[in-house]
Short mmCIF file of all heavy atoms in Angstrom, two decimals:
data_model
loop_
_atom_site.label_atom_id
_atom_site.label_comp_id
_atom_site.label_asym_id
_atom_site.label_seq_id
_atom_site.Cartn_x
_atom_site.Cartn_y
_atom_site.Cartn_z
N GLY A 34 103.82 -13.34 152.37
CA GLY A 34 104.25 -12.37 151.33
C GLY A 34 103.65 -12.60 149.96
O GLY A 34 104.00 -12.05 148.91
N ARG A 35 102.61 -13.63 149.89
CA ARG A 35 102.02 -13.84 148.63
C ARG A 35 100.54 -14.11 148.77
O ARG A 35 100.13 -14.63 149.77
CB ARG A 35 102.72 -15.17 148.00
CG ARG A 35 102.29 -15.62 146.66
CD ARG A 35 103.08 -16.76 146.13
NE ARG A 35 102.95 -16.98 144.71
CZ ARG A 35 103.63 -18.00 144.06
NH1 ARG A 35 104.28 -18.87 144.78
NH2 ARG A 35 103.50 -18.06 142.81
N SER A 36 99.79 -13.74 147.71
CA SER A 36 98.25 -13.83 147.83
C SER A 36 97.97 -15.38 147.94
O SER A 36 98.61 -16.19 147.23
CB SER A 36 97.61 -13.14 146.71
OG SER A 36 97.82 -13.78 145.46
N LEU A 37 96.72 -15.64 148.51
CA LEU A 37 96.22 -16.99 148.55
C LEU A 37 96.02 -17.49 147.11
O LEU A 37 96.40 -18.59 146.75
CB LEU A 37 95.01 -17.02 149.30
CG LEU A 37 94.93 -16.51 150.77
CD1 LEU A 37 93.57 -16.60 151.35
CD2 LEU A 37 96.01 -17.32 151.59
N LEU A 38 95.49 -16.65 146.25
CA LEU A 38 95.19 -17.02 144.92
C LEU A 38 96.47 -17.29 144.06
O LEU A 38 96.55 -18.15 143.19
CB LEU A 38 94.27 -15.99 144.20
CG LEU A 38 93.92 -16.25 142.70
CD1 LEU A 38 93.19 -17.55 142.64
CD2 LEU A 38 92.97 -15.07 142.22
N GLY A 39 97.49 -16.45 144.40
CA GLY A 39 98.80 -16.73 143.76
C GLY A 39 99.37 -18.09 144.02
O GLY A 39 99.86 -18.74 143.08
N TYR A 40 99.22 -18.58 145.16
CA TYR A 40 99.60 -20.00 145.48
C TYR A 40 98.91 -20.92 144.56
O TYR A 40 99.48 -21.87 144.06
CB TYR A 40 99.48 -20.28 147.00
CG TYR A 40 100.38 -19.66 147.88
CD1 TYR A 40 100.00 -18.55 148.72
CD2 TYR A 40 101.75 -20.01 147.98
CE1 TYR A 40 100.96 -17.95 149.61
CE2 TYR A 40 102.64 -19.53 148.83
CZ TYR A 40 102.20 -18.45 149.69
OH TYR A 40 103.07 -17.85 150.51
N VAL A 41 97.61 -20.76 144.56
CA VAL A 41 96.70 -21.69 143.85
C VAL A 41 97.02 -21.72 142.31
O VAL A 41 97.27 -22.80 141.72
CB VAL A 41 95.19 -21.30 143.96
CG1 VAL A 41 94.31 -22.19 143.16
CG2 VAL A 41 94.76 -21.45 145.47
N LEU A 42 97.28 -20.50 141.78
CA LEU A 42 97.53 -20.44 140.29
C LEU A 42 98.91 -21.04 140.03
O LEU A 42 99.13 -21.59 138.93
CB LEU A 42 97.47 -19.02 139.82
CG LEU A 42 95.96 -18.44 139.92
CD1 LEU A 42 95.92 -17.04 139.52
CD2 LEU A 42 94.99 -19.31 139.10
N GLU A 43 99.84 -20.90 140.89
CA GLU A 43 101.15 -21.54 140.70
C GLU A 43 101.09 -23.04 140.59
O GLU A 43 101.65 -23.69 139.72
CB GLU A 43 102.10 -21.06 141.82
CG GLU A 43 103.49 -21.83 141.76
CD GLU A 43 104.34 -21.55 140.67
OE1 GLU A 43 104.21 -20.31 140.14
OE2 GLU A 43 105.20 -22.30 140.24
N GLU A 44 100.20 -23.62 141.38
CA GLU A 44 100.03 -25.06 141.44
C GLU A 44 99.26 -25.53 140.24
O GLU A 44 99.19 -26.77 139.82
CB GLU A 44 99.48 -25.56 142.66
CG GLU A 44 100.22 -25.31 143.96
CD GLU A 44 101.71 -25.91 143.87
OE1 GLU A 44 101.76 -27.10 143.48
OE2 GLU A 44 102.61 -25.13 144.09
N LEU A 45 98.45 -24.61 139.55
CA LEU A 45 97.71 -24.92 138.43
C LEU A 45 98.51 -24.61 137.12
O LEU A 45 97.86 -24.64 136.04
CB LEU A 45 96.41 -24.15 138.42
CG LEU A 45 95.28 -24.55 139.37
CD1 LEU A 45 94.19 -23.63 139.33
CD2 LEU A 45 94.90 -26.02 139.24
N SER A 46 99.74 -24.28 137.28
CA SER A 46 100.56 -23.87 135.99
C SER A 46 100.73 -24.93 135.03
O SER A 46 101.38 -24.62 133.98
CB SER A 46 101.84 -23.26 136.58
OG SER A 46 102.64 -24.26 137.23
N PHE A 47 100.37 -26.19 135.23
CA PHE A 47 100.44 -27.17 134.26
C PHE A 47 99.31 -26.99 133.25
O PHE A 47 99.30 -27.60 132.10
CB PHE A 47 100.26 -28.60 134.93
CG PHE A 47 99.04 -28.84 135.62
CD1 PHE A 47 97.85 -29.47 135.04
CD2 PHE A 47 98.95 -28.48 137.04
CE1 PHE A 47 96.80 -29.72 135.77
CE2 PHE A 47 97.76 -28.80 137.71
CZ PHE A 47 96.69 -29.38 137.09
N LEU A 48 98.42 -25.98 133.42
CA LEU A 48 97.42 -25.63 132.51
C LEU A 48 97.73 -24.31 131.92
O LEU A 48 98.33 -23.50 132.61
CB LEU A 48 95.96 -25.51 133.13
CG LEU A 48 95.46 -26.80 133.86
CD1 LEU A 48 94.06 -26.54 134.53
CD2 LEU A 48 95.25 -27.94 132.78
N ASP A 49 97.39 -24.09 130.66
CA ASP A 49 97.57 -22.67 130.05
C ASP A 49 96.73 -21.76 130.79
O ASP A 49 95.59 -22.06 131.15
CB ASP A 49 97.23 -22.73 128.60
CG ASP A 49 98.16 -23.47 127.73
OD1 ASP A 49 99.34 -23.73 128.19
OD2 ASP A 49 97.77 -23.89 126.58
N LYS A 50 97.25 -20.44 130.93
CA LYS A 50 96.50 -19.46 131.64
C LYS A 50 95.20 -19.19 131.10
O LYS A 50 94.11 -18.98 131.73
CB LYS A 50 97.35 -18.22 131.65
CG LYS A 50 98.48 -18.20 132.63
CD LYS A 50 99.31 -16.98 132.63
CE LYS A 50 100.55 -17.10 133.55
NZ LYS A 50 101.43 -15.90 133.57
N LYS A 51 95.09 -19.25 129.69
CA LYS A 51 93.79 -19.01 129.01
C LYS A 51 92.79 -20.08 129.31
O LYS A 51 91.63 -19.82 129.04
CB LYS A 51 94.01 -18.96 127.41
CG LYS A 51 94.56 -20.17 126.92
CD LYS A 51 94.67 -20.14 125.35
CE LYS A 51 95.27 -21.34 124.75
NZ LYS A 51 94.68 -22.66 125.07
N ASP A 52 93.19 -21.18 129.89
CA ASP A 52 92.21 -22.20 130.17
C ASP A 52 91.84 -22.28 131.67
O ASP A 52 91.20 -23.21 132.04
CB ASP A 52 92.86 -23.64 129.87
CG ASP A 52 92.95 -23.73 128.36
OD1 ASP A 52 92.16 -23.18 127.57
OD2 ASP A 52 93.91 -24.58 127.87
N VAL A 53 92.32 -21.21 132.39
CA VAL A 53 91.96 -21.13 133.83
C VAL A 53 91.13 -19.92 134.08
O VAL A 53 91.56 -18.81 133.91
CB VAL A 53 93.29 -21.12 134.65
CG1 VAL A 53 92.96 -20.93 136.16
CG2 VAL A 53 94.16 -22.30 134.41
N VAL A 54 89.73 -20.13 134.38
CA VAL A 54 88.90 -18.97 134.49
C VAL A 54 88.68 -18.68 135.89
O VAL A 54 88.35 -19.51 136.78
CB VAL A 54 87.50 -19.39 133.87
CG1 VAL A 54 86.50 -18.32 134.14
CG2 VAL A 54 87.63 -19.72 132.36
N LEU A 55 89.00 -17.34 136.26
CA LEU A 55 88.82 -16.97 137.65
C LEU A 55 87.34 -16.45 137.80
O LEU A 55 86.91 -15.52 137.08
CB LEU A 55 89.73 -15.80 137.95
CG LEU A 55 91.33 -16.00 137.70
CD1 LEU A 55 91.98 -14.86 138.02
CD2 LEU A 55 91.67 -17.27 138.39
N VAL A 56 86.59 -17.03 138.71
CA VAL A 56 85.22 -16.53 139.02
C VAL A 56 85.35 -15.49 140.11
O VAL A 56 85.56 -15.79 141.28
CB VAL A 56 84.24 -17.70 139.38
CG1 VAL A 56 82.90 -17.16 139.60
CG2 VAL A 56 84.30 -18.75 138.40
N VAL A 57 85.17 -14.23 139.71
CA VAL A 57 85.39 -13.19 140.66
C VAL A 57 84.02 -12.52 141.04
O VAL A 57 82.97 -12.58 140.37
CB VAL A 57 86.33 -12.16 140.02
CG1 VAL A 57 87.70 -12.76 139.78
CG2 VAL A 57 85.80 -11.53 138.71
N GLY A 58 84.10 -11.71 142.19
CA GLY A 58 82.83 -11.01 142.61
C GLY A 58 83.19 -9.82 143.40
O GLY A 58 83.32 -8.79 142.86
N TYR A 59 83.42 -10.02 144.65
CA TYR A 59 83.71 -8.89 145.55
C TYR A 59 85.02 -8.26 145.09
O TYR A 59 86.04 -8.81 144.92
CB TYR A 59 83.82 -9.35 147.07
CG TYR A 59 84.16 -8.21 148.04
CD1 TYR A 59 83.18 -7.28 148.31
CD2 TYR A 59 85.37 -8.17 148.52
CE1 TYR A 59 83.59 -6.29 149.26
CE2 TYR A 59 85.83 -7.16 149.38
CZ TYR A 59 84.82 -6.25 149.72
OH TYR A 59 85.11 -5.19 150.62
N GLU A 60 84.92 -6.83 145.01
CA GLU A 60 86.08 -6.10 144.52
C GLU A 60 86.86 -6.78 143.39
O GLU A 60 88.10 -6.91 143.45
CB GLU A 60 87.01 -5.75 145.76
CG GLU A 60 86.39 -4.81 146.72
CD GLU A 60 87.38 -4.31 147.79
OE1 GLU A 60 88.42 -4.96 147.93
OE2 GLU A 60 87.01 -3.34 148.36
N ARG A 61 86.03 -7.19 142.38
CA ARG A 61 86.66 -8.00 141.34
C ARG A 61 87.71 -7.25 140.49
O ARG A 61 88.63 -7.92 140.05
CB ARG A 61 85.54 -8.49 140.41
CG ARG A 61 84.65 -7.37 139.78
CD ARG A 61 83.53 -8.00 138.97
NE ARG A 61 82.67 -7.09 138.39
CZ ARG A 61 81.51 -6.65 139.08
NH1 ARG A 61 81.36 -7.17 140.29
NH2 ARG A 61 80.71 -5.72 138.48
N GLU A 62 87.66 -5.92 140.49
CA GLU A 62 88.62 -5.26 139.75
C GLU A 62 90.07 -5.36 140.32
O GLU A 62 91.09 -5.53 139.64
CB GLU A 62 88.31 -3.73 139.75
CG GLU A 62 86.91 -3.23 139.12
CD GLU A 62 85.80 -3.50 140.10
OE1 GLU A 62 86.05 -3.86 141.34
OE2 GLU A 62 84.69 -3.24 139.64
N LYS A 63 90.08 -5.57 141.61
CA LYS A 63 91.43 -5.79 142.18
C LYS A 63 91.95 -7.24 141.91
O LYS A 63 93.18 -7.38 141.64
CB LYS A 63 91.36 -5.71 143.82
CG LYS A 63 91.09 -4.30 144.27
CD LYS A 63 91.01 -4.26 145.85
CE LYS A 63 90.67 -2.78 146.21
NZ LYS A 63 90.59 -2.68 147.81
N VAL A 64 91.06 -8.20 141.75
CA VAL A 64 91.59 -9.54 141.46
C VAL A 64 91.96 -9.58 140.03
O VAL A 64 93.02 -10.18 139.71
CB VAL A 64 90.35 -10.62 141.72
CG1 VAL A 64 90.94 -11.99 141.46
CG2 VAL A 64 89.91 -10.55 143.25
N VAL A 65 91.19 -8.99 139.06
CA VAL A 65 91.53 -9.07 137.76
C VAL A 65 92.82 -8.29 137.46
O VAL A 65 93.60 -8.65 136.66
CB VAL A 65 90.35 -8.37 136.92
CG1 VAL A 65 90.67 -8.23 135.47
CG2 VAL A 65 89.09 -9.31 137.03
N ALA A 66 93.02 -7.10 138.21
CA ALA A 66 94.19 -6.32 138.00
C ALA A 66 95.49 -7.15 138.58
O ALA A 66 96.59 -6.98 137.92
CB ALA A 66 94.13 -4.99 138.76
N ALA A 67 95.25 -7.90 139.53
CA ALA A 67 96.40 -8.66 140.04
C ALA A 67 96.88 -9.82 139.22
O ALA A 67 98.00 -10.26 139.17
CB ALA A 67 96.07 -9.19 141.47
N PHE A 68 95.80 -10.38 138.36
CA PHE A 68 96.12 -11.53 137.65
C PHE A 68 95.44 -11.27 136.18
O PHE A 68 94.51 -12.01 135.74
CB PHE A 68 95.49 -12.81 138.17
CG PHE A 68 96.16 -13.14 139.57
CD1 PHE A 68 95.46 -12.77 140.73
CD2 PHE A 68 97.29 -13.78 139.59
CE1 PHE A 68 95.99 -12.95 141.94
CE2 PHE A 68 97.91 -14.07 140.78
CZ PHE A 68 97.27 -13.70 142.05
N PRO A 69 95.97 -10.26 135.49
CA PRO A 69 95.39 -9.83 134.26
C PRO A 69 95.59 -10.93 133.16
O PRO A 69 94.81 -10.82 131.97
CB PRO A 69 96.12 -8.65 133.86
CG PRO A 69 97.54 -8.84 134.56
CD PRO A 69 97.22 -9.45 135.76
N ASP A 70 96.39 -11.95 133.20
CA ASP A 70 96.62 -12.83 132.08
C ASP A 70 95.56 -14.01 132.16
O ASP A 70 95.57 -14.82 131.23
CB ASP A 70 97.97 -13.49 132.25
CG ASP A 70 99.13 -12.47 132.08
OD1 ASP A 70 98.87 -11.43 131.43
OD2 ASP A 70 100.20 -12.72 132.56
N TYR A 71 94.65 -13.96 133.11
CA TYR A 71 93.68 -15.00 133.13
C TYR A 71 92.31 -14.53 132.83
O TYR A 71 91.91 -13.40 133.18
CB TYR A 71 93.61 -15.62 134.57
CG TYR A 71 94.80 -16.29 135.09
CD1 TYR A 71 95.96 -15.71 135.55
CD2 TYR A 71 94.87 -17.70 134.97
CE1 TYR A 71 97.09 -16.29 135.93
CE2 TYR A 71 96.06 -18.40 135.43
CZ TYR A 71 97.16 -17.61 135.91
OH TYR A 71 98.32 -18.30 136.28
N PRO A 72 91.52 -15.30 132.07
CA PRO A 72 90.12 -14.90 131.78
C PRO A 72 89.35 -14.96 133.13
O PRO A 72 89.74 -15.64 134.00
CB PRO A 72 89.58 -16.04 130.74
CG PRO A 72 90.49 -17.18 131.02
CD PRO A 72 91.88 -16.68 131.37
N HIS A 73 88.25 -14.18 133.06
CA HIS A 73 87.45 -14.15 134.37
C HIS A 73 86.00 -14.20 133.97
O HIS A 73 85.56 -13.78 132.90
CB HIS A 73 87.87 -12.96 135.22
CG HIS A 73 87.43 -11.64 134.60
ND1 HIS A 73 88.17 -10.98 133.71
CD2 HIS A 73 86.36 -10.85 134.78
CE1 HIS A 73 87.60 -9.84 133.40
NE2 HIS A 73 86.47 -9.78 134.08
N ALA A 74 85.23 -14.46 135.03
CA ALA A 74 83.71 -14.49 134.95
C ALA A 74 83.26 -13.87 136.20
O ALA A 74 83.92 -14.00 137.26
CB ALA A 74 83.18 -15.90 134.74
N VAL A 75 82.15 -13.13 136.03
CA VAL A 75 81.69 -12.41 137.26
C VAL A 75 80.42 -13.13 137.87
O VAL A 75 79.57 -13.47 137.25
CB VAL A 75 81.23 -10.97 136.85
CG1 VAL A 75 80.61 -10.21 138.06
CG2 VAL A 75 82.46 -10.21 136.40
N GLN A 76 80.57 -13.24 139.21
CA GLN A 76 79.53 -13.85 139.94
C GLN A 76 78.85 -12.72 140.86
O GLN A 76 79.43 -12.42 141.88
CB GLN A 76 79.95 -15.04 140.87
CG GLN A 76 78.76 -15.68 141.62
CD GLN A 76 79.26 -16.76 142.75
OE1 GLN A 76 80.38 -16.72 143.11
NE2 GLN A 76 78.31 -17.61 143.15
N GLU A 77 77.80 -12.28 140.46
CA GLU A 77 77.20 -11.17 141.22
C GLU A 77 75.69 -11.16 141.15
O GLU A 77 75.14 -11.05 140.02
CB GLU A 77 77.72 -9.86 140.67
CG GLU A 77 77.42 -8.56 141.57
CD GLU A 77 78.15 -8.69 142.83
OE1 GLU A 77 79.36 -8.76 142.87
OE2 GLU A 77 77.37 -8.55 143.80
N PRO A 78 74.92 -11.47 142.16
CA PRO A 78 75.46 -11.63 143.55
C PRO A 78 75.91 -13.15 143.72
O PRO A 78 75.88 -13.84 142.66
CB PRO A 78 74.10 -11.56 144.38
CG PRO A 78 73.05 -11.93 143.39
CD PRO A 78 73.47 -11.47 142.05
N GLN A 79 76.46 -13.44 144.82
CA GLN A 79 77.01 -14.79 145.10
C GLN A 79 75.96 -15.66 145.66
O GLN A 79 75.49 -15.44 146.83
CB GLN A 79 78.28 -14.62 145.97
CG GLN A 79 79.50 -14.24 145.25
CD GLN A 79 79.99 -12.89 145.71
OE1 GLN A 79 80.22 -12.65 146.84
NE2 GLN A 79 80.23 -11.92 144.77
N LYS A 80 75.54 -16.61 144.92
CA LYS A 80 74.44 -17.53 145.34
C LYS A 80 74.91 -19.03 145.48
O LYS A 80 74.18 -19.95 145.00
CB LYS A 80 73.31 -17.40 144.39
CG LYS A 80 72.64 -16.04 144.45
CD LYS A 80 71.30 -15.92 143.64
CE LYS A 80 71.60 -16.01 142.12
NZ LYS A 80 70.36 -15.82 141.33
N GLY A 81 76.15 -19.20 145.87
CA GLY A 81 76.52 -20.56 146.19
C GLY A 81 77.53 -21.09 145.11
O GLY A 81 77.82 -20.49 144.05
N THR A 82 78.14 -22.25 145.39
CA THR A 82 79.18 -22.79 144.60
C THR A 82 78.62 -23.23 143.22
O THR A 82 79.32 -23.10 142.19
CB THR A 82 79.92 -24.04 145.30
OG1 THR A 82 78.84 -24.86 145.65
CG2 THR A 82 80.71 -23.58 146.44
N GLY A 83 77.41 -23.74 143.20
CA GLY A 83 76.87 -24.21 141.90
C GLY A 83 76.58 -22.99 141.03
O GLY A 83 76.91 -23.07 139.76
N HIS A 84 76.17 -21.90 141.59
CA HIS A 84 75.88 -20.67 140.89
C HIS A 84 77.27 -20.12 140.41
O HIS A 84 77.28 -19.56 139.33
CB HIS A 84 75.23 -19.59 141.79
CG HIS A 84 74.99 -18.27 141.16
ND1 HIS A 84 75.64 -17.13 141.66
CD2 HIS A 84 74.25 -17.92 140.12
CE1 HIS A 84 75.28 -16.17 140.90
NE2 HIS A 84 74.45 -16.63 139.95
N ALA A 85 78.31 -20.26 141.19
CA ALA A 85 79.66 -19.75 140.77
C ALA A 85 80.11 -20.49 139.46
O ALA A 85 80.54 -19.80 138.48
CB ALA A 85 80.60 -19.92 141.83
N VAL A 86 79.91 -21.77 139.45
CA VAL A 86 80.28 -22.57 138.24
C VAL A 86 79.45 -22.21 137.01
O VAL A 86 79.90 -22.03 135.97
CB VAL A 86 80.24 -24.03 138.49
CG1 VAL A 86 80.52 -24.85 137.33
CG2 VAL A 86 81.24 -24.46 139.64
N GLN A 87 78.26 -22.02 137.32
CA GLN A 87 77.28 -21.55 136.23
C GLN A 87 77.74 -20.20 135.62
O GLN A 87 77.68 -20.06 134.43
CB GLN A 87 75.86 -21.40 136.89
CG GLN A 87 74.79 -21.14 135.87
CD GLN A 87 73.40 -21.11 136.57
OE1 GLN A 87 73.27 -20.54 137.61
NE2 GLN A 87 72.44 -21.74 135.91
N CYS A 88 78.18 -19.37 136.37
CA CYS A 88 78.74 -18.02 135.99
C CYS A 88 79.90 -18.15 135.06
O CYS A 88 80.13 -17.35 134.20
CB CYS A 88 79.05 -17.09 137.14
SG CYS A 88 77.54 -16.54 138.07
N ALA A 89 80.71 -19.32 135.23
CA ALA A 89 81.96 -19.47 134.39
C ALA A 89 81.57 -20.09 133.09
O ALA A 89 82.44 -20.31 132.31
CB ALA A 89 82.87 -20.33 135.22
N ARG A 90 80.33 -20.49 132.95
CA ARG A 90 79.97 -21.31 131.68
C ARG A 90 80.35 -20.64 130.32
O ARG A 90 80.96 -21.15 129.56
CB ARG A 90 78.46 -21.64 131.75
CG ARG A 90 78.17 -22.66 130.63
CD ARG A 90 76.63 -23.08 130.98
NE ARG A 90 76.32 -24.18 130.04
CZ ARG A 90 75.14 -24.87 130.34
NH1 ARG A 90 74.37 -24.63 131.33
NH2 ARG A 90 74.87 -25.83 129.49
N GLU A 91 79.99 -19.31 130.28
CA GLU A 91 80.32 -18.63 128.98
C GLU A 91 81.82 -18.52 128.78
O GLU A 91 82.19 -18.73 127.64
CB GLU A 91 79.59 -17.26 129.03
CG GLU A 91 79.74 -16.51 127.72
CD GLU A 91 79.06 -15.18 127.77
OE1 GLU A 91 78.14 -15.09 128.56
OE2 GLU A 91 79.32 -14.35 126.84
N ALA A 92 82.57 -18.17 129.87
CA ALA A 92 84.00 -18.09 129.76
C ALA A 92 84.69 -19.34 129.32
O ALA A 92 85.65 -19.35 128.73
CB ALA A 92 84.56 -17.56 130.98
N LEU A 93 84.03 -20.46 129.75
CA LEU A 93 84.64 -21.81 129.42
C LEU A 93 84.24 -22.21 127.96
O LEU A 93 84.92 -23.22 127.40
CB LEU A 93 84.20 -22.86 130.48
CG LEU A 93 84.76 -22.72 131.84
CD1 LEU A 93 83.95 -23.52 132.79
CD2 LEU A 93 86.28 -23.11 131.75
N GLY A 94 83.32 -21.48 127.39
CA GLY A 94 82.97 -21.69 126.00
C GLY A 94 82.35 -23.14 125.71
O GLY A 94 81.73 -23.61 126.59
N GLN A 95 82.46 -23.50 124.54
CA GLN A 95 81.86 -24.85 124.04
C GLN A 95 82.84 -25.98 124.34
O GLN A 95 82.82 -26.98 123.59
CB GLN A 95 81.59 -24.66 122.57
CG GLN A 95 80.53 -23.68 122.25
CD GLN A 95 79.19 -23.89 122.87
OE1 GLN A 95 78.61 -24.97 122.82
NE2 GLN A 95 78.71 -22.79 123.60
N PHE A 96 83.63 -25.83 125.39
CA PHE A 96 84.66 -26.89 125.71
C PHE A 96 83.96 -28.17 125.97
O PHE A 96 83.05 -28.22 126.80
CB PHE A 96 85.52 -26.33 126.84
CG PHE A 96 86.62 -27.27 127.36
CD1 PHE A 96 87.68 -27.52 126.44
CD2 PHE A 96 86.56 -27.77 128.57
CE1 PHE A 96 88.65 -28.39 126.93
CE2 PHE A 96 87.51 -28.63 129.00
CZ PHE A 96 88.60 -28.89 128.20
N ASP A 97 84.49 -29.20 125.43
CA ASP A 97 83.85 -30.53 125.60
C ASP A 97 84.81 -31.53 126.45
O ASP A 97 84.49 -32.73 126.51
CB ASP A 97 83.47 -31.15 124.34
CG ASP A 97 84.64 -31.51 123.44
OD1 ASP A 97 85.87 -31.08 123.75
OD2 ASP A 97 84.50 -32.07 122.41
N GLY A 98 85.81 -31.04 127.02
CA GLY A 98 86.72 -31.92 127.75
C GLY A 98 86.31 -32.00 129.30
O GLY A 98 85.16 -32.08 129.56
N ASP A 99 87.25 -32.00 130.08
CA ASP A 99 87.06 -32.09 131.55
C ASP A 99 87.32 -30.81 132.20
O ASP A 99 88.18 -29.97 131.87
CB ASP A 99 88.04 -33.20 132.18
CG ASP A 99 87.74 -34.55 131.74
OD1 ASP A 99 86.53 -34.88 131.49
OD2 ASP A 99 88.72 -35.30 131.40
#
Side-chain angles (χ1 to χ4, degrees):
R35 189 176 193 181
S36 71
L37 303 179
L38 183 55
Y40 287 107
V41 174
L42 295 177
E43 174 65 27
E44 298 304 310
L45 291 174
S46 61
F47 60 92
L48 300 176
D49 288 341
K50 291 179 179 178
K51 65 178 173 51
D52 292 331
V53 179
V54 176
L55 308 181
V56 182
V57 296
Y59 179 73
E60 293 192 342
R61 57 185 177 270
E62 299 83 2
K63 292 181 179 179
V64 181
V65 172
F68 299 97
D70 296 337
Y71 292 84
H73 69 277
V75 177
Q76 184 190 18
E77 194 64 55
Q79 281 115 55
K80 296 187 290 186
T82 49
H84 177 244
V86 174
Q87 187 176 42
C88 291
R90 189 171 189 167
E91 186 176 339
L93 289 164
Q95 298 300 309
F96 181 65
D97 64 351
D99 294 317

